[in-house]
Amino acid sequence: RSDCSRCRTADPKHVCVWCAGDQTSCIYKESCKAQIQETCPGPVINSVDPQSGLLEGGTILTISGSNLGQRLQDIADTVTVAGIPCDVDGSRYEISTRIVCVTGNSEVERLGHVSVEVIGIGHGTSA
């Protein structure tokens, strides 16, 4: 698995763990000679598309990254765009790697970052 959230949601029959060490990675539990990480790092936002939207909201936004939650409930009510809530489309959520949401009404033009909080883990902010 490419990141911690995907590793921790892998089928339990694979006995995967997120293993610390020289290169933190998802490996078979018995192969981990370093400390097993019980929690994942905070979310990382790699890209946001589109880069702008309508003042009245309704823009469908795709956020791509890693560690964007292990389940929809981790991020369902925590995504904002320039401080405005973005309503997550649960049917298009992909564990850890993609969030699709619909922007809310801004009333005034704003510049700002996209922010995702994974409950109990941390925040990620777009560049």
Side-chain angles (χ1 to χ4, degrees):
R1 303 284 180 182
S2 59
D3 67 33
C4 181
S5 293
R6 284 192 173 263
C7 182
R8 295 185 57 80
T9 58
D11 189 321
K13 72 180 179 186
H14 299 298
V15 195
C16 295
V17 295
W18 193 246
C19 185
D22 293 337
Q23 279 197 309
T24 303
S25 62
C26 184
I27 62 174
Y28 178 66
K29 184 177 183 175
E30 299 303 319
S31 299
C32 182
K33 303 301 180 207
Q35 180 180 357
I36 295 173
Q37 299 293 312
E38 297 299 328
T39 60
C40 291
V44 174
I45 297 173
N46 295 328
S47 67
V48 176
D49 187 58
Q51 294 288 312
S52 62
L54 304 170
L55 286 177
E56 61 270 18
T59 301
I60 297 172
L61 191 71
T62 301
I63 303 162
S64 299
S66 61
N67 294 315
L68 299 175
Q70 296 177 35
R71 57 197 175 132
L72 177 62
Q73 295 86 346
D74 291 342
I75 53 87
D77 298 316
T78 69
V79 180
T80 60
V81 178
I84 303 294
C86 198
D87 186 31
V88 174
D89 179 347
S91 69
R92 297 174 71 186
Y93 172 68
E94 290 182 17
I95 292 171
S96 187
T97 61
R98 184 176 77 175
I99 297 169
V100 176
C101 63
V102 179
T103 60
N105 183 345
S106 176
E107 297 183 14
V108 297
E109 188 172 316
R110 295 175 184 251
L111 294 175
H113 300 284
V114 172
S115 176
V116 175
E117 178 185 1
V118 177
I119 303 298
I121 301 295
H123 282 87
T125 305
S126 64

